[in-house]
Amino acid sequence: MTVRTRFAPSPTGFLHVGGARTALFSYLFARRHGGEFVLRIEDTDLERSTAASVNAILEGMNWLGLDYDEGPFYQTERFERYNAVIDELLERGLAYRCDCPKDRLERVRDMQMAAKQKPRYDGHCRSRQVDPAQPHVVRFRNPVDGVVVVEDLIRGRIPFANEELDDLVLRRSDGSPTYNLTVVVDDADMGISHVIRGDDHVNNTPRQMNILTALGYQPPRYAHVPMILGADGMRLSKRHGAVSVVAYRDLGYLPEALINYLVRLGWSHGDQEIFSLDELIELFDITDVNKSASTFNTDKLDWLNQHYIQHADAKRIARLLSPHLGHLDIDPSTGPDPVAVVEAQAARAKTLVELADISAFCYADFDDYEPTAAKKHLRPVAREPLQRVRAELDMLALADWQDAGLHRVVERVAEALGVAMGKVAQPLRVAVVGRAASPGIDVTLRLVGKAATLRRIDRALAFIDARAAQS
RNA sequence: GCUCCCUUCGUCUAGUGGUUAGGACGUCGGCCUCUCACGCCGGUAACAGGGGUUCGAAUCCCCUAGGGAGCGCCA
């Protein structure tokens, strides 16, 4: 059997991390088994579906690199087919028309709740002849006895008694088909062999299997993946911070980091933590996914992101960094090659946003010194080291403005003054960077360049004098 | 309320009758060192509770507790 999986989001918002993970699992499972992955947009809810959401979902999938073999298919373009199926069901007596008014449905529901029963349609119209010309919905005639067994690839065997299931609506009174009908028809028509979806759908599965069976189809295999929780144990939502996939991109995360993080949420391969997409395609199997929900943990995502920033090709990172520098009003062409900056800074940043922030000093003079750094290092004692280092740097030829030469200058000044290297390097660092943290002082000076270095040392000396005069 | 599901360090997980219960993130300590990181070394920390089954249970069974999902003319 050829494996065919699908991702079937409804376009009512952005692609969020939970959806991205089920899409990833579906994608990996298909790739792993040499099958196909199809994308289907479930836009039958005309009220809430938007084109903007469709674009956002496509954008998210594209960024993550989850390419699909077929689609996107749109359910709104298949209404004719759905209605034909519903009519067929009606003809064969497997579905019936129902004109129960809303208030009746509510009354039944309230009575059932009061009697401590599960609220469900009572089958009032099952044997009535409702006039097709009058407003009505079409309901599925669910079997009244027996059990439906879901053989879930993740959960195992889950039996449902048919008496627990009621007659769900297949076609609304406005003539549009409902979700449970459309998925079933699409999964059958599209030859989906494995339905991988969130476990909020487990309770729908027996109903869908019943419809499939009534239609004469063999139900696909199902795998319900557990959901992702926020730090408070509640279902992950906007109030837990970023949930949309593209938001992570904008926050400076790499797609491979998010993929790696998401796949490890509920799945593992021994003690391995780092996985490339190719490795995942080779190793992933849906049956290895855990049954329990897991908590989204930004710390670990950060660690992975830093790992990937550090180990990815510096040229690529430099390219991805450019828009983030742009947000800081920095034009990379006005300073050192961004690739050199990335090589120097990659180990220091958890995100591209952070990388841009700590690298801004390479391109532009900073506004203010970081207060505690200035307080600690830009003191009168630093005046002489700064003056001497400035003099030496001034004499250094532009051609010698390289790590080795710069290192020697700082070292020589420290020796001449009979002080530790830090007594020279730290004031110099604060003078040039504005804060007490940066790459090695030689690398830092190299990136800043001669002119800016001298200019900033002068500014620091003036700062020290002004401060001394003040006290 | 009813149906279904879940339960190993704070978090993600390994583990499928016999392990000092392993790894990772975080955290703490140390090394490296011109700073911050990186890297390296080390510490901390878990089988929800109770009954069984068994010579022996994190692993099998039952109960309890806790958590979650679903119960729409939403998907």
Side-chain angles (χ1 to χ4, degrees), chain A residues 190-231:
Chain A
M190 295 172 190
I192 302 303
S193 65
H194 298 259
V195 170
I196 297 172
R197 56 173 28 159
D199 74 357
D200 47 338
H201 285 288
V202 275
N203 293 286
N204 285 325
T205 305
R207 305 164 186 280
Q208 294 177 7
M209 287 173 75
N210 279 340
I211 300 174
L212 242 10
T213 305
L215 253 20
Y217 292 113
Q218 170 79 27
R221 301 304 308 273
Y222 293 93
H224 290 95
V225 323
M227 39 180 237
I228 300 177
L229 274 22

Coordinates of all heavy atoms in Angstrom, one line a residue, chain A residues 190-231:
Chain A
M190 N -9.2 11.2 -2.0 CA -7.8 11.5 -2.1 C -6.9 10.4 -1.8 O -5.7 10.5 -1.8 CB -7.4 12.8 -1.3 CG -8.1 14.0 -1.8 SD -7.9 15.5 -0.7 CE -9.1 16.6 -1.4
G191 N -7.5 9.2 -1.5 CA -6.7 8.0 -1.2 C -5.8 8.2 0.0 O -4.7 7.6 0.0
I192 N -6.3 8.9 1.0 CA -5.4 9.0 2.2 C -5.3 7.7 2.9 O -6.4 7.1 3.3 CB -6.0 10.1 3.1 CG1 -6.1 11.5 2.4 CG2 -5.2 10.2 4.4 CD1 -4.8 12.0 1.8
S193 N -4.1 7.2 3.2 CA -4.0 5.9 3.9 C -3.8 6.1 5.4 O -4.2 5.2 6.1 CB -2.7 5.2 3.3 OG -1.5 6.0 3.6
H194 N -3.2 7.3 5.8 CA -3.0 7.5 7.2 C -3.4 8.9 7.6 O -2.9 9.9 7.0 CB -1.5 7.3 7.5 CG -1.0 5.9 7.3 ND1 -0.8 5.0 8.3 CD2 -0.7 5.3 6.1 CE1 -0.4 3.9 7.7 NE2 -0.3 4.1 6.4
V195 N -4.4 9.0 8.5 CA -4.8 10.3 9.0 C -4.1 10.6 10.3 O -4.3 9.9 11.3 CB -6.3 10.3 9.2 CG1 -6.8 11.5 10.0 CG2 -7.1 10.1 7.9
I196 N -3.2 11.6 10.2 CA -2.4 12.0 11.4 C -2.9 13.3 11.8 O -2.9 14.3 11.0 CB -0.9 12.0 11.0 CG1 -0.4 10.6 10.7 CG2 -0.1 12.6 12.2 CD1 1.0 10.6 10.1
R197 N -3.5 13.5 12.9 CA -4.1 14.7 13.4 C -4.1 14.9 14.9 O -3.7 13.9 15.6 CB -5.6 14.7 12.9 CG -6.2 13.5 13.4 CD -7.6 13.1 13.4 NE -8.6 13.4 12.4 CZ -9.7 12.8 12.1 NH1 -10.0 11.6 12.8 NH2 -10.5 13.2 11.2
G198 N -4.5 16.0 15.3 CA -4.5 16.3 16.8 C -5.4 15.4 17.5 O -6.4 14.9 17.0
D199 N -5.1 15.1 18.8 CA -6.0 14.1 19.5 C -7.3 14.8 20.0 O -8.1 14.1 20.6 CB -5.2 13.5 20.7 CG -5.0 14.4 21.8 OD1 -5.4 15.6 21.8 OD2 -4.5 13.9 22.8
D200 N -7.5 16.0 19.6 CA -8.8 16.6 19.9 C -9.9 16.0 18.9 O -11.1 16.2 19.0 CB -8.8 18.1 19.8 CG -8.1 18.6 18.6 OD1 -7.3 17.9 18.0 OD2 -8.4 19.8 18.2
H201 N -9.4 15.2 18.0 CA -10.3 14.6 17.0 C -10.6 13.1 17.3 O -11.4 12.5 16.6 CB -9.6 14.6 15.6 CG -9.7 16.0 15.0 ND1 -10.8 16.5 14.5 CD2 -8.7 16.9 14.7 CE1 -10.6 17.7 14.0 NE2 -9.3 17.9 14.1
V202 N -10.1 12.6 18.4 CA -10.3 11.1 18.7 C -11.8 10.8 18.7 O -12.3 9.8 18.2 CB -9.7 10.6 20.0 CG1 -8.3 10.2 19.7 CG2 -9.8 11.6 21.1
N203 N -12.6 11.7 19.4 CA -14.0 11.4 19.5 C -14.8 11.6 18.2 O -15.9 11.1 18.1 CB -14.6 12.4 20.5 CG -14.1 12.1 21.9 OD1 -14.5 11.1 22.5 ND2 -13.2 12.9 22.4
N204 N -14.2 12.2 17.2 CA -14.8 12.3 15.9 C -14.6 11.0 15.1 O -15.3 10.7 14.1 CB -14.3 13.5 15.1 CG -14.8 14.8 15.6 OD1 -15.9 14.9 16.0 ND2 -13.9 15.8 15.5
T205 N -13.5 10.4 15.4 CA -13.0 9.2 14.6 C -14.1 8.1 14.4 O -14.3 7.7 13.3 CB -11.7 8.7 15.1 OG1 -10.8 9.8 15.1 CG2 -11.2 7.6 14.2
P206 N -14.7 7.6 15.5 CA -15.7 6.6 15.3 C -16.9 7.0 14.4 O -17.3 6.2 13.5 CB -16.2 6.3 16.7 CG -15.8 7.4 17.5 CD -14.5 8.0 16.9
R207 N -17.3 8.3 14.5 CA -18.4 8.8 13.6 C -17.9 8.8 12.2 O -18.7 8.4 11.3 CB -18.7 10.2 14.0 CG -19.1 10.5 15.4 CD -19.0 12.0 15.7 NE -19.2 12.3 17.1 CZ -20.3 12.4 17.7 NH1 -21.4 12.1 17.0 NH2 -20.4 12.6 19.0
Q208 N -16.7 9.2 12.0 CA -16.2 9.3 10.6 C -16.0 7.9 10.0 O -16.3 7.6 8.8 CB -14.9 10.1 10.5 CG -15.1 11.5 10.9 CD -13.8 12.3 11.0 OE1 -12.7 11.8 10.6 NE2 -13.9 13.6 11.4
M209 N -15.6 7.0 10.9 CA -15.5 5.6 10.4 C -16.8 5.0 10.0 O -17.0 4.3 9.0 CB -14.8 4.7 11.5 CG -13.3 5.0 11.6 SD -12.6 4.2 13.0 CE -12.4 2.5 12.4
N210 N -17.8 5.4 10.8 CA -19.2 4.9 10.5 C -19.7 5.4 9.1 O -20.3 4.7 8.3 CB -20.2 5.3 11.5 CG -20.1 4.3 12.7 OD1 -19.6 3.2 12.6 ND2 -20.6 4.7 13.9
I211 N -19.4 6.7 8.9 CA -19.8 7.3 7.6 C -19.1 6.6 6.4 O -19.7 6.2 5.4 CB -19.6 8.8 7.6 CG1 -20.4 9.5 8.7 CG2 -20.0 9.4 6.2 CD1 -20.1 11.0 8.8
L212 N -17.8 6.4 6.6 CA -17.0 5.8 5.6 C -17.5 4.4 5.3 O -17.6 4.0 4.2 CB -15.5 5.7 6.2 CG -14.3 6.3 5.6 CD1 -14.7 7.3 4.5 CD2 -13.5 7.0 6.6
T213 N -17.8 3.7 6.4 CA -18.3 2.3 6.2 C -19.6 2.3 5.5 O -19.9 1.5 4.6 CB -18.5 1.6 7.6 OG1 -17.2 1.7 8.3 CG2 -18.8 0.2 7.4
A214 N -20.5 3.3 5.8 CA -21.8 3.4 5.1 C -21.6 3.6 3.7 O -22.4 3.1 2.8 CB -22.6 4.5 5.8
L215 N -20.6 4.4 3.4 CA -20.3 4.7 2.0 C -19.6 3.6 1.2 O -19.3 3.7 0.0 CB -19.4 6.0 1.9 CG -19.9 7.3 1.5 CD1 -21.5 7.4 1.6 CD2 -19.3 8.5 2.3
G216 N -19.2 2.6 2.0 CA -18.5 1.4 1.3 C -17.0 1.6 1.2 O -16.4 0.8 0.5
Y217 N -16.5 2.5 2.0 CA -15.0 2.7 2.0 C -14.4 2.0 3.2 O -15.0 1.8 4.2 CB -14.6 4.1 2.0 CG -15.0 4.9 0.8 CD1 -16.0 5.9 0.9 CD2 -14.4 4.7 -0.4 CE1 -16.3 6.7 -0.2 CE2 -14.8 5.4 -1.5 CZ -15.7 6.4 -1.4 OH -16.0 7.2 -2.5
Q218 N -13.1 1.6 2.9 CA -12.3 1.0 4.0 C -11.7 2.2 4.7 O -11.0 3.0 4.1 CB -11.2 0.2 3.4 CG -10.1 -0.3 4.3 CD -10.6 -1.5 5.2 OE1 -11.5 -2.2 4.7 NE2 -10.1 -1.6 6.3
P219 N -12.0 2.4 6.0 CA -11.4 3.6 6.7 C -9.8 3.5 6.7 O -9.3 2.5 6.6 CB -11.9 3.4 8.2 CG -13.1 2.6 8.0 CD -12.8 1.6 6.9
P220 N -9.2 4.7 6.7 CA -7.8 4.8 6.7 C -7.2 4.4 8.1 O -8.0 4.1 9.0 CB -7.5 6.2 6.4 CG -8.6 7.0 6.9 CD -9.8 6.0 6.7
R221 N -5.9 4.4 8.2 CA -5.3 4.2 9.6 C -5.3 5.5 10.2 O -5.2 6.6 9.6 CB -3.9 3.7 9.5 CG -3.8 2.3 8.7 CD -4.6 1.2 9.3 NE -4.4 1.0 10.8 CZ -3.5 0.3 11.3 NH1 -2.7 -0.4 10.6 NH2 -3.4 0.1 12.6
Y222 N -5.5 5.5 11.6 CA -5.5 6.8 12.3 C -4.3 6.9 13.3 O -3.9 5.9 13.8 CB -6.8 7.0 13.0 CG -8.0 7.2 12.1 CD1 -8.8 6.1 11.7 CD2 -8.3 8.4 11.6 CE1 -9.9 6.2 10.9 CE2 -9.5 8.6 10.8 CZ -10.2 7.5 10.4 OH -11.3 7.6 9.6
A223 N -3.8 8.1 13.5 CA -2.8 8.3 14.5 C -3.2 9.7 15.1 O -3.1 10.7 14.4 CB -1.4 8.4 13.9
H224 N -3.5 9.7 16.4 CA -3.9 11.0 17.0 C -2.7 11.4 17.9 O -2.4 10.8 18.9 CB -5.2 10.8 17.8 CG -6.4 10.6 16.9 ND1 -6.9 9.4 16.6 CD2 -7.1 11.6 16.3 CE1 -7.9 9.6 15.7 NE2 -8.1 10.9 15.5
V225 N -2.1 12.6 17.5 CA -1.0 13.0 18.2 C -1.4 13.9 19.4 O -2.4 14.7 19.3 CB 0.0 13.8 17.3 CG1 0.1 13.1 16.0 CG2 -0.3 15.2 17.1
P226 N -0.7 13.8 20.5 CA -1.1 14.6 21.7 C -0.9 16.1 21.5 O -0.1 16.4 20.6 CB -0.2 14.0 22.8 CG 1.0 13.4 22.0 CD 0.4 12.9 20.8
M227 N -1.5 16.9 22.2 CA -1.4 18.3 22.0 C -0.2 18.9 22.7 O 0.5 18.3 23.5 CB -2.6 19.0 22.4 CG -3.3 18.5 23.6 SD -4.8 19.4 23.9 CE -4.4 20.0 25.5
I228 N 0.0 20.2 22.5 CA 1.1 20.9 23.1 C 0.5 21.8 24.1 O -0.4 22.6 23.8 CB 1.9 21.7 22.0 CG1 2.5 20.7 21.0 CG2 3.0 22.5 22.7 CD1 3.2 21.4 19.9
L229 N 1.1 21.8 25.3 CA 0.6 22.6 26.4 C 1.5 23.9 26.6 O 2.7 23.9 26.3 CB 0.6 21.8 27.7 CG -0.5 20.9 28.1 CD1 -1.4 20.5 26.9 CD2 0.0 19.7 28.8
G230 N 1.0 24.9 27.3 CA 1.8 26.0 27.7 C 2.4 25.7 29.1 O 2.1 24.6 29.6
A231 N 3.2 26.6 29.6 CA 4.0 26.3 30.8 C 3.0 26.0 32.0 O 3.4 25.4 33.0 CB 4.9 27.5 31.1

